[in-house]
Amino acid sequence: MTLAQLRYLAAVADAGLNISRAARNVYATQPCISRQLKQLEDELGFAIFTRKGRNLDAVTAAGEQVIERARAVLAETQRIRALGLKNSVSGERVLAPSPSGRRLG
């Protein structure tokens, strides 16, 4: 399971189960998202979506739980990234000698 798969899963849910629209929203291709969702379902061992032909029809009960948890994971990754941005703006700098020992610049 990857963060990309969770991001695609949330995007598909946000796009009303329309994979093409989700792909445009996350700057990916429709085949890529379809493949990643299939891999995620295979890894989990159950269907996240019900399908009608090649289209997604609905979210399964287990899928609802997965989507909810995926959103929580994605929100947490945003909070972690925000910590990095906050700390990089704090003015902390790490100075180290150059490998050759010569002054640079």
Side-chain angles (χ1 to χ4, degrees):
M1 180 177 323
T2 67
L3 286 176
Q5 289 172 332
L6 299 180
R7 187 167 55 99
Y8 295 156
L9 177 62
V12 168
D14 291 343
L17 306 186
N18 184 311
I19 295 176
S20 296
R21 187 178 319 135
R24 284 191 303 272
N25 292 342
V26 295
Y27 306 102
T29 65
Q30 179 273 327
C32 174
I33 290 184
S34 294
R35 186 174 48 255
Q36 291 296 317
L37 292 178
K38 178 71 173 116
Q39 287 175 357
L40 180 59
E41 288 179 322
D42 289 347
E43 181 180 341
L44 293 173
F46 57 84
I48 297 171
F49 304 101
T50 59
R51 291 168 170 80
K52 274 193 179 172
R54 302 181 87 189
N55 298 319
L56 301 180
D57 184 49
V59 179
T60 65
E64 290 285 351
Q65 292 180 39
V66 173
I67 291 168
E68 179 182 331
R69 286 175 171 85
R71 290 185 194 283
V73 168
L74 294 169
E76 191 60 30
T77 62
Q78 289 300 325
R79 287 190 282 276
I80 291 169
R81 284 188 183 103
L83 285 175
L85 292 174
K86 178 181 171 187
N87 289 331
S88 69
V89 176
S90 69
E92 285 185 35
R93 300 280 187 249
V94 177
L95 300 177
S98 67
S100 66
R102 291 182 284 169
R103 290 183 65 181
L104 299 175

